Amino acid sequence: MTSERDIDSAAGEDLITEPLEDVIDPEGFTPRLIALLSNALVWRESTELRRRFGLGTNDWRVISAVALRPGISATEISDFIGVNKAVVSKSVSTLVARRLIVLLDGPRGSRPMCLTRDGARMHDLMLPVSMRGQEIILEGMSESDVRKLNTLLTDMLQKLRDAQLLDEALDNEASPAHKPEPSPAAH
C-alpha cells in the first residue's frame, strides 16, 4: 500500500488523494460479490485438483464437458464452459498427452473428443472435489432456495448474453466497414 510520504512527495502531480464521492459500494455491488465467490471456488478447486491429480480447473472443465457430451469439439467446449479457445486448447493438449482424452478425425477446432477409460476414472476421482465446492456454498439452503438461486443465476447469464448480442448488433450498425456482404440468395 502507498504510504502518506509517497503521496506527499508526489503532491505536485495533480493527484487525487481522497476517495471519490460517487463510487461502488463493494459490499452491495452484485457483480463484485459473484466474481469474488467464483474466484474463491475456482482457487479452492484448482488448488485441490493440482495437489491430488496434477491437473487444474480448466482441465477438469474439459474432462467434465467430454464426460457429459462425448464427441464434443474444442470449439463447442469453449462455448459450453465460457472460456477462451486458447485455454481449452491448452487443456486438450495436456489431457491428450496424459491419455485421458482422444481426439478423433476432423478439422482443427472441430475434432470430436472422447474420454479414455483412464479419463473416465479421472473424471470420477475429480468429481467429488468439484461437488464439495457446491456443498460448501449451498450448505443450509433449502432445495427450494437452491432452485430459486439457480433460476436467478441462469436468468442473469441470459441477460448478459442478450446484452452482448445487442451490443454486437449496435456495433455492427455503427461500423459499416464491418458489415458482411449480402449473400447471393439475398438478391
Side-chain angles (χ1 to χ4, degrees):
M1 190 148 179
T2 306
S3 71
E4 283 185 44
R5 187 182 67 199
D6 293 335
I7 291 174
D8 288 342
S9 69
E13 301 246 354
D14 194 27
L15 301 178
I16 307 298
T17 60
E18 297 295 323
L20 298 178
E21 287 187 31
D22 189 19
V23 296
I24 291 173
D25 168 15
E27 299 307 315
F29 188 61
T30 306
R32 176 184 178 270
L33 297 174
I34 292 171
L36 289 173
L37 178 61
S38 176
N39 292 344
L41 282 168
V42 169
W43 181 86
R44 184 205 145 277
E45 179 180 83
S46 188
T47 300
E48 188 64 14
L49 292 174
R50 287 213 180 279
R51 183 183 70 76
R52 290 172 64 179
F53 309 111
L55 297 167
T57 295
N58 291 322
D59 305 319
W60 160 242
R61 290 172 178 168
V62 170
I63 288 172
S64 182
V66 176
L68 183 63
R69 297 179 176 175
I72 193 170
S73 71
T75 300
E76 291 167 331
I77 290 173
S78 177
D79 292 340
F80 180 66
I81 65 176
V83 299
N84 184 292
K85 290 177 187 175
V87 171
V88 172
S89 179
K90 183 178 178 192
S91 286
V92 167
S93 294
T94 298
L95 298 171
V96 167
R98 296 225 359 214
R99 295 186 169 94
L100 299 174
I101 63 171
V102 172
L103 291 167
L104 304 174
D105 287 334
R108 183 175 170 84
S110 64
R111 295 174 68 184
M113 288 179 243
C114 291
L115 293 175
T116 63
R117 288 199 191 281
D118 285 344
R121 279 192 286 278
M122 182 61 73
H123 170 272
D124 293 347
L125 292 170
M126 296 173 95
L127 180 63
V129 174
S130 190
M131 295 305 294
R132 179 65 183 128
Q134 176 166 288
E135 291 168 6
I136 291 167
I137 64 170
L138 299 181
E139 185 178 342
M141 292 179 71
S142 69
E143 284 185 38
S144 173
D145 285 344
V146 171
R147 278 193 304 276
K148 287 178 191 172
L149 174 61
N150 288 340
T151 298
L152 288 169
L153 292 170
T154 301
D155 289 348
M156 288 178 198
L157 284 169
Q158 188 58 52
K159 287 176 186 176
L160 279 173
R161 289 179 184 129
D162 293 346
Q164 183 177 4
L165 290 173
L166 180 61
D167 290 346
E168 289 171 3
L170 292 174
D171 286 347
N172 287 336
E173 283 180 18
S175 178
H178 296 293
K179 284 188 179 178
E181 291 293 319
S183 68
H187 291 284

